[in-house]
Amino acid sequence: MTDSSPSDADDASPPEPLVSLPKSLRHELKDPIGPVETDPHSLLEVAGEPLVTVGDVVTYHVLEAGRTPDVAIVDGITKREAVDAVIRETVTAGETVDVENPQGALTDALIRALVAAIDDPDPVTILVDGEEDLATLPAIVAAPEGASVVYGQPDKGMVHAVVTDERRAAIRSLLTRFDGDPEALFSILDR
């Protein structure tokens, strides 16, 4: 039996990010990384393997179109508001892995969960307590050539980023300019 006082639980602090997005780079993330699709069926006709979705609404539309993403990363939020109960229940119906990840950052826990989920032959949903938006970037770095990473572009549709060596190199270059420890990030992603 372990002796723990009530104050031990109060001392829990949020995880330290490996890297965080500096304000000076925010403008570089405004443009979509691939073509924007509005029809999930059309997107799925050309989607590669594995299929990684980032965002609750995107994941929901892919599921409703009849495809379970190999990896789904969701946080229960869209446009800074909680998603409705139907979307929340639909996107978290399968196996989920819970991680904490603060806004504008990438934590060790999220990156390790992402890599494990990509390597898992079964579909995995990563449920983020915090924000999942930046997970698109390490997903592109970690996913194999030809994989599809799909994320939402608010009020536009779904961005379909096909993983290529050129795209992976561009994202790696961007991540090296993040604050924090990009080398630690890459040591996990380059398994």
Side-chain angles (χ1 to χ4, degrees):
M1 184 168 163
T2 308
D3 182 21
S4 65
S5 65
S7 65
D8 289 346
D10 297 336
D11 292 339
S13 58
E16 278 294 312
L18 289 173
V19 295
S20 58
L21 177 64
K23 287 182 181 181
S24 62
L25 292 182
R26 287 184 185 166
H27 70 281
E28 293 190 39
L29 297 178
K30 296 293 182 198
D31 293 332
I33 298 173
V36 179
E37 302 282 346
T38 56
D39 177 24
H41 296 283
S42 297
L43 185 149
L44 291 173
E45 287 176 8
V46 297
E49 297 281 336
L51 172 62
V52 179
T53 59
V54 180
D56 297 71
V57 175
V58 166
T59 301
Y60 176 78
H61 286 301
V62 167
L63 286 163
E64 289 296 296
R67 174 79 188 276
T68 300
D70 299 287
V71 180
I73 307 169
V74 298
D75 65 3
I77 305 291
T78 186
K79 297 184 190 177
R80 304 205 189 282
E81 299 286 333
V83 296
D84 69 44
V86 171
I87 292 175
R88 177 73 173 194
E89 290 169 15
T90 302
V91 302
T92 59
E95 175 188 348
T96 61
V97 176
D98 297 325
V99 298
E100 287 184 60
N101 193 78
Q103 181 179 10
L106 295 167
T107 60
D108 182 273
L110 175 59
I111 301 306
R112 289 186 188 282
L114 171 65
V115 168
I118 288 172
D119 291 343
D120 193 323
D122 296 320
V124 176
T125 298
I126 300 170
L127 181 56
V128 176
D129 179 5
E131 185 179 89
E132 95 295 70
D133 294 1
L134 290 177
T136 298
L137 303 176
I140 291 170
V141 174
E145 183 84 9
S148 288
V149 178
V150 181
Y151 67 95
Q153 187 82 1
D155 302 317
K156 302 285 185 203
M158 300 168 286
V159 179
H160 180 200
V162 176
V163 177
T164 63
D165 286 340
E166 181 181 332
R167 183 164 280 143
R168 190 180 292 117
I171 298 301
R172 286 180 73 92
S173 176
L174 177 66
L175 287 168
T176 62
R177 296 171 21 220
F178 273 45
D179 292 334
D181 192 352
E183 287 183 25
L185 173 72
F186 293 129
S187 72
I188 300 167
L189 291 173
D190 295 338
R191 60 205 185 283

PDB file of all heavy atoms in Angstrom, residues 45-69:
ATOM      1  N   GLU A  45     -11.996   7.648 -51.766  1.00  0.00           N
ATOM      2  CA  GLU A  45     -11.680   6.926 -53.003  1.00  0.00           C
ATOM      3  C   GLU A  45     -10.191   6.996 -53.333  1.00  0.00           C
ATOM      4  O   GLU A  45      -9.658   6.092 -53.976  1.00  0.00           O
ATOM      5  CB  GLU A  45     -12.490   7.479 -54.174  1.00  0.00           C
ATOM      6  CG  GLU A  45     -13.949   7.099 -54.133  1.00  0.00           C
ATOM      7  CD  GLU A  45     -14.754   7.741 -55.260  1.00  0.00           C
ATOM      8  OE1 GLU A  45     -14.150   8.355 -56.170  1.00  0.00           O
ATOM      9  OE2 GLU A  45     -15.984   7.623 -55.219  1.00  0.00           O
ATOM     10  N   VAL A  46      -9.530   8.059 -52.893  1.00  0.00           N
ATOM     11  CA  VAL A  46      -8.110   8.239 -53.221  1.00  0.00           C
ATOM     12  C   VAL A  46      -7.205   8.168 -51.989  1.00  0.00           C
ATOM     13  O   VAL A  46      -5.989   8.329 -52.106  1.00  0.00           O
ATOM     14  CB  VAL A  46      -7.875   9.577 -53.973  1.00  0.00           C
ATOM     15  CG1 VAL A  46      -8.605   9.559 -55.306  1.00  0.00           C
ATOM     16  CG2 VAL A  46      -8.303  10.768 -53.128  1.00  0.00           C
ATOM     17  N   ALA A  47      -7.779   7.928 -50.815  1.00  0.00           N
ATOM     18  CA  ALA A  47      -6.988   7.900 -49.571  1.00  0.00           C
ATOM     19  C   ALA A  47      -6.045   6.708 -49.552  1.00  0.00           C
ATOM     20  O   ALA A  47      -6.394   5.606 -49.966  1.00  0.00           O
ATOM     21  CB  ALA A  47      -7.914   7.863 -48.356  1.00  0.00           C
ATOM     22  N   GLY A  48      -4.838   6.973 -49.049  1.00  0.00           N
ATOM     23  CA  GLY A  48      -3.842   5.932 -48.914  1.00  0.00           C
ATOM     24  C   GLY A  48      -3.959   5.219 -47.572  1.00  0.00           C
ATOM     25  O   GLY A  48      -4.830   5.507 -46.762  1.00  0.00           O
ATOM     26  N   GLU A  49      -3.035   4.289 -47.365  1.00  0.00           N
ATOM     27  CA  GLU A  49      -2.981   3.499 -46.131  1.00  0.00           C
ATOM     28  C   GLU A  49      -1.672   3.786 -45.405  1.00  0.00           C
ATOM     29  O   GLU A  49      -0.636   3.862 -46.058  1.00  0.00           O
ATOM     30  CB  GLU A  49      -3.037   2.003 -46.454  1.00  0.00           C
ATOM     31  CG  GLU A  49      -4.323   1.565 -47.119  1.00  0.00           C
ATOM     32  CD  GLU A  49      -5.469   1.409 -46.147  1.00  0.00           C
ATOM     33  OE1 GLU A  49      -5.197   1.190 -44.953  1.00  0.00           O
ATOM     34  OE2 GLU A  49      -6.618   1.515 -46.569  1.00  0.00           O
ATOM     35  N   PRO A  50      -1.691   3.934 -44.105  1.00  0.00           N
ATOM     36  CA  PRO A  50      -2.870   4.026 -43.262  1.00  0.00           C
ATOM     37  C   PRO A  50      -3.540   5.392 -43.410  1.00  0.00           C
ATOM     38  O   PRO A  50      -2.956   6.335 -43.930  1.00  0.00           O
ATOM     39  CB  PRO A  50      -2.311   3.842 -41.849  1.00  0.00           C
ATOM     40  CG  PRO A  50      -0.918   4.358 -41.923  1.00  0.00           C
ATOM     41  CD  PRO A  50      -0.445   4.040 -43.319  1.00  0.00           C
ATOM     42  N   LEU A  51      -4.770   5.468 -42.917  1.00  0.00           N
ATOM     43  CA  LEU A  51      -5.524   6.709 -42.919  1.00  0.00           C
ATOM     44  C   LEU A  51      -5.517   7.271 -41.498  1.00  0.00           C
ATOM     45  O   LEU A  51      -5.964   6.607 -40.565  1.00  0.00           O
ATOM     46  CB  LEU A  51      -6.963   6.461 -43.371  1.00  0.00           C
ATOM     47  CG  LEU A  51      -7.937   7.636 -43.247  1.00  0.00           C
ATOM     48  CD1 LEU A  51      -7.490   8.819 -44.113  1.00  0.00           C
ATOM     49  CD2 LEU A  51      -9.347   7.196 -43.608  1.00  0.00           C
ATOM     50  N   VAL A  52      -4.982   8.490 -41.366  1.00  0.00           N
ATOM     51  CA  VAL A  52      -4.920   9.173 -40.070  1.00  0.00           C
ATOM     52  C   VAL A  52      -5.829  10.397 -40.162  1.00  0.00           C
ATOM     53  O   VAL A  52      -5.680  11.206 -41.077  1.00  0.00           O
ATOM     54  CB  VAL A  52      -3.475   9.621 -39.735  1.00  0.00           C
ATOM     55  CG1 VAL A  52      -3.436  10.349 -38.401  1.00  0.00           C
ATOM     56  CG2 VAL A  52      -2.521   8.428 -39.744  1.00  0.00           C
ATOM     57  N   THR A  53      -6.767  10.518 -39.216  1.00  0.00           N
ATOM     58  CA  THR A  53      -7.619  11.707 -39.172  1.00  0.00           C
ATOM     59  C   THR A  53      -7.298  12.504 -37.917  1.00  0.00           C
ATOM     60  O   THR A  53      -7.043  11.925 -36.858  1.00  0.00           O
ATOM     61  CB  THR A  53      -9.118  11.353 -39.193  1.00  0.00           C
ATOM     62  OG1 THR A  53      -9.428  10.514 -38.076  1.00  0.00           O
ATOM     63  CG2 THR A  53      -9.503  10.655 -40.492  1.00  0.00           C
ATOM     64  N   VAL A  54      -7.301  13.818 -38.058  1.00  0.00           N
ATOM     65  CA  VAL A  54      -7.038  14.712 -36.935  1.00  0.00           C
ATOM     66  C   VAL A  54      -8.224  15.670 -36.838  1.00  0.00           C
ATOM     67  O   VAL A  54      -8.449  16.469 -37.740  1.00  0.00           O
ATOM     68  CB  VAL A  54      -5.721  15.499 -37.118  1.00  0.00           C
ATOM     69  CG1 VAL A  54      -5.483  16.415 -35.919  1.00  0.00           C
ATOM     70  CG2 VAL A  54      -4.544  14.546 -37.320  1.00  0.00           C
ATOM     71  N   GLY A  55      -8.968  15.539 -35.753  1.00  0.00           N
ATOM     72  CA  GLY A  55     -10.130  16.395 -35.531  1.00  0.00           C
ATOM     73  C   GLY A  55     -11.409  15.588 -35.439  1.00  0.00           C
ATOM     74  O   GLY A  55     -11.595  14.594 -36.146  1.00  0.00           O
ATOM     75  N   ASP A  56     -12.288  16.017 -34.566  1.00  0.00           N
ATOM     76  CA  ASP A  56     -13.539  15.298 -34.309  1.00  0.00           C
ATOM     77  C   ASP A  56     -14.470  15.299 -35.512  1.00  0.00           C
ATOM     78  O   ASP A  56     -15.030  14.252 -35.874  1.00  0.00           O
ATOM     79  CB  ASP A  56     -14.257  15.931 -33.112  1.00  0.00           C
ATOM     80  CG  ASP A  56     -13.455  15.818 -31.838  1.00  0.00           C
ATOM     81  OD1 ASP A  56     -12.422  16.504 -31.708  1.00  0.00           O
ATOM     82  OD2 ASP A  56     -13.851  15.044 -30.966  1.00  0.00           O
ATOM     83  N   VAL A  57     -14.674  16.456 -36.140  1.00  0.00           N
ATOM     84  CA  VAL A  57     -15.635  16.548 -37.235  1.00  0.00           C
ATOM     85  C   VAL A  57     -15.136  15.774 -38.452  1.00  0.00           C
ATOM     86  O   VAL A  57     -15.906  15.039 -39.091  1.00  0.00           O
ATOM     87  CB  VAL A  57     -15.947  18.027 -37.564  1.00  0.00           C
ATOM     88  CG1 VAL A  57     -16.845  18.137 -38.788  1.00  0.00           C
ATOM     89  CG2 VAL A  57     -16.604  18.697 -36.360  1.00  0.00           C
ATOM     90  N   VAL A  58     -13.858  15.893 -38.781  1.00  0.00           N
ATOM     91  CA  VAL A  58     -13.282  15.131 -39.886  1.00  0.00           C
ATOM     92  C   VAL A  58     -13.427  13.637 -39.617  1.00  0.00           C
ATOM     93  O   VAL A  58     -13.859  12.873 -40.492  1.00  0.00           O
ATOM     94  CB  VAL A  58     -11.795  15.508 -40.094  1.00  0.00           C
ATOM     95  CG1 VAL A  58     -11.101  14.511 -40.995  1.00  0.00           C
ATOM     96  CG2 VAL A  58     -11.675  16.904 -40.649  1.00  0.00           C
ATOM     97  N   THR A  59     -13.071  13.217 -38.426  1.00  0.00           N
ATOM     98  CA  THR A  59     -13.168  11.798 -38.074  1.00  0.00           C
ATOM     99  C   THR A  59     -14.614  11.323 -38.190  1.00  0.00           C
ATOM    100  O   THR A  59     -14.887  10.248 -38.735  1.00  0.00           O
ATOM    101  CB  THR A  59     -12.613  11.568 -36.656  1.00  0.00           C
ATOM    102  OG1 THR A  59     -11.244  11.997 -36.629  1.00  0.00           O
ATOM    103  CG2 THR A  59     -12.704  10.109 -36.254  1.00  0.00           C
ATOM    104  N   TYR A  60     -15.533  12.127 -37.707  1.00  0.00           N
ATOM    105  CA  TYR A  60     -16.959  11.786 -37.777  1.00  0.00           C
ATOM    106  C   TYR A  60     -17.400  11.593 -39.233  1.00  0.00           C
ATOM    107  O   TYR A  60     -18.067  10.609 -39.575  1.00  0.00           O
ATOM    108  CB  TYR A  60     -17.786  12.880 -37.105  1.00  0.00           C
ATOM    109  CG  TYR A  60     -19.267  12.671 -37.204  1.00  0.00           C
ATOM    110  CD1 TYR A  60     -19.921  11.754 -36.378  1.00  0.00           C
ATOM    111  CD2 TYR A  60     -20.023  13.376 -38.130  1.00  0.00           C
ATOM    112  CE1 TYR A  60     -21.284  11.550 -36.474  1.00  0.00           C
ATOM    113  CE2 TYR A  60     -21.393  13.183 -38.233  1.00  0.00           C
ATOM    114  CZ  TYR A  60     -22.017  12.270 -37.403  1.00  0.00           C
ATOM    115  OH  TYR A  60     -23.371  12.070 -37.507  1.00  0.00           O
ATOM    116  N   HIS A  61     -17.038  12.529 -40.115  1.00  0.00           N
ATOM    117  CA  HIS A  61     -17.451  12.433 -41.522  1.00  0.00           C
ATOM    118  C   HIS A  61     -16.845  11.207 -42.208  1.00  0.00           C
ATOM    119  O   HIS A  61     -17.522  10.550 -43.004  1.00  0.00           O
ATOM    120  CB  HIS A  61     -17.099  13.710 -42.285  1.00  0.00           C
ATOM    121  CG  HIS A  61     -17.997  14.854 -41.951  1.00  0.00           C
ATOM    122  ND1 HIS A  61     -19.363  14.820 -42.136  1.00  0.00           N
ATOM    123  CD2 HIS A  61     -17.726  16.072 -41.439  1.00  0.00           C
ATOM    124  CE1 HIS A  61     -19.890  15.960 -41.740  1.00  0.00           C
ATOM    125  NE2 HIS A  61     -18.919  16.733 -41.310  1.00  0.00           N
ATOM    126  N   VAL A  62     -15.607  10.884 -41.883  1.00  0.00           N
ATOM    127  CA  VAL A  62     -14.970   9.693 -42.453  1.00  0.00           C
ATOM    128  C   VAL A  62     -15.690   8.431 -41.962  1.00  0.00           C
ATOM    129  O   VAL A  62     -15.987   7.528 -42.749  1.00  0.00           O
ATOM    130  CB  VAL A  62     -13.461   9.681 -42.116  1.00  0.00           C
ATOM    131  CG1 VAL A  62     -12.835   8.320 -42.398  1.00  0.00           C
ATOM    132  CG2 VAL A  62     -12.744  10.780 -42.892  1.00  0.00           C
ATOM    133  N   LEU A  63     -15.998   8.381 -40.680  1.00  0.00           N
ATOM    134  CA  LEU A  63     -16.741   7.236 -40.137  1.00  0.00           C
ATOM    135  C   LEU A  63     -18.125   7.118 -40.770  1.00  0.00           C
ATOM    136  O   LEU A  63     -18.560   6.018 -41.143  1.00  0.00           O
ATOM    137  CB  LEU A  63     -16.870   7.356 -38.616  1.00  0.00           C
ATOM    138  CG  LEU A  63     -15.602   7.081 -37.814  1.00  0.00           C
ATOM    139  CD1 LEU A  63     -15.743   7.625 -36.393  1.00  0.00           C
ATOM    140  CD2 LEU A  63     -15.281   5.594 -37.798  1.00  0.00           C
ATOM    141  N   GLU A  64     -18.820   8.240 -40.906  1.00  0.00           N
ATOM    142  CA  GLU A  64     -20.156   8.235 -41.509  1.00  0.00           C
ATOM    143  C   GLU A  64     -20.112   7.824 -42.978  1.00  0.00           C
ATOM    144  O   GLU A  64     -21.088   7.306 -43.512  1.00  0.00           O
ATOM    145  CB  GLU A  64     -20.820   9.603 -41.361  1.00  0.00           C
ATOM    146  CG  GLU A  64     -21.241   9.916 -39.942  1.00  0.00           C
ATOM    147  CD  GLU A  64     -22.317   8.967 -39.425  1.00  0.00           C
ATOM    148  OE1 GLU A  64     -23.431   8.976 -39.977  1.00  0.00           O
ATOM    149  OE2 GLU A  64     -22.037   8.207 -38.468  1.00  0.00           O
ATOM    150  N   ALA A  65     -18.972   8.040 -43.633  1.00  0.00           N
ATOM    151  CA  ALA A  65     -18.805   7.635 -45.033  1.00  0.00           C
ATOM    152  C   ALA A  65     -18.441   6.153 -45.146  1.00  0.00           C
ATOM    153  O   ALA A  65     -18.255   5.648 -46.260  1.00  0.00           O
ATOM    154  CB  ALA A  65     -17.750   8.503 -45.710  1.00  0.00           C
ATOM    155  N   GLY A  66     -18.332   5.476 -44.009  1.00  0.00           N
ATOM    156  CA  GLY A  66     -18.118   4.036 -44.030  1.00  0.00           C
ATOM    157  C   GLY A  66     -16.693   3.563 -43.819  1.00  0.00           C
ATOM    158  O   GLY A  66     -16.401   2.380 -43.974  1.00  0.00           O
ATOM    159  N   ARG A  67     -15.799   4.441 -43.437  1.00  0.00           N
ATOM    160  CA  ARG A  67     -14.401   4.035 -43.239  1.00  0.00           C
ATOM    161  C   ARG A  67     -13.967   4.348 -41.815  1.00  0.00           C
ATOM    162  O   ARG A  67     -14.192   5.457 -41.313  1.00  0.00           O
ATOM    163  CB  ARG A  67     -13.514   4.797 -44.221  1.00  0.00           C
ATOM    164  CG  ARG A  67     -12.027   4.608 -44.058  1.00  0.00           C
ATOM    165  CD  ARG A  67     -11.549   3.289 -44.664  1.00  0.00           C
ATOM    166  NE  ARG A  67     -10.159   3.053 -44.314  1.00  0.00           N
ATOM    167  CZ  ARG A  67      -9.124   3.542 -44.965  1.00  0.00           C
ATOM    168  NH1 ARG A  67      -9.307   4.289 -46.022  1.00  0.00           N
ATOM    169  NH2 ARG A  67      -7.912   3.270 -44.567  1.00  0.00           N
ATOM    170  N   THR A  68     -13.358   3.375 -41.156  1.00  0.00           N
ATOM    171  CA  THR A  68     -12.781   3.602 -39.841  1.00  0.00           C
ATOM    172  C   THR A  68     -11.328   4.007 -40.035  1.00  0.00           C
ATOM    173  O   THR A  68     -10.551   3.247 -40.635  1.00  0.00           O
ATOM    174  CB  THR A  68     -12.853   2.328 -38.975  1.00  0.00           C
ATOM    175  OG1 THR A  68     -14.218   1.957 -38.818  1.00  0.00           O
ATOM    176  CG2 THR A  68     -12.222   2.547 -37.606  1.00  0.00           C
ATOM    177  N   PRO A  69     -10.943   5.188 -39.569  1.00  0.00           N
ATOM    178  CA  PRO A  69      -9.532   5.583 -39.702  1.00  0.00           C
ATOM    179  C   PRO A  69      -8.636   4.603 -38.944  1.00  0.00           C
ATOM    180  O   PRO A  69      -9.023   4.062 -37.913  1.00  0.00           O
ATOM    181  CB  PRO A  69      -9.476   6.965 -39.049  1.00  0.00           C
ATOM    182  CG  PRO A  69     -10.879   7.445 -39.001  1.00  0.00           C
ATOM    183  CD  PRO A  69     -11.741   6.223 -38.907  1.00  0.00           C
TER     184      PRO A  69
END
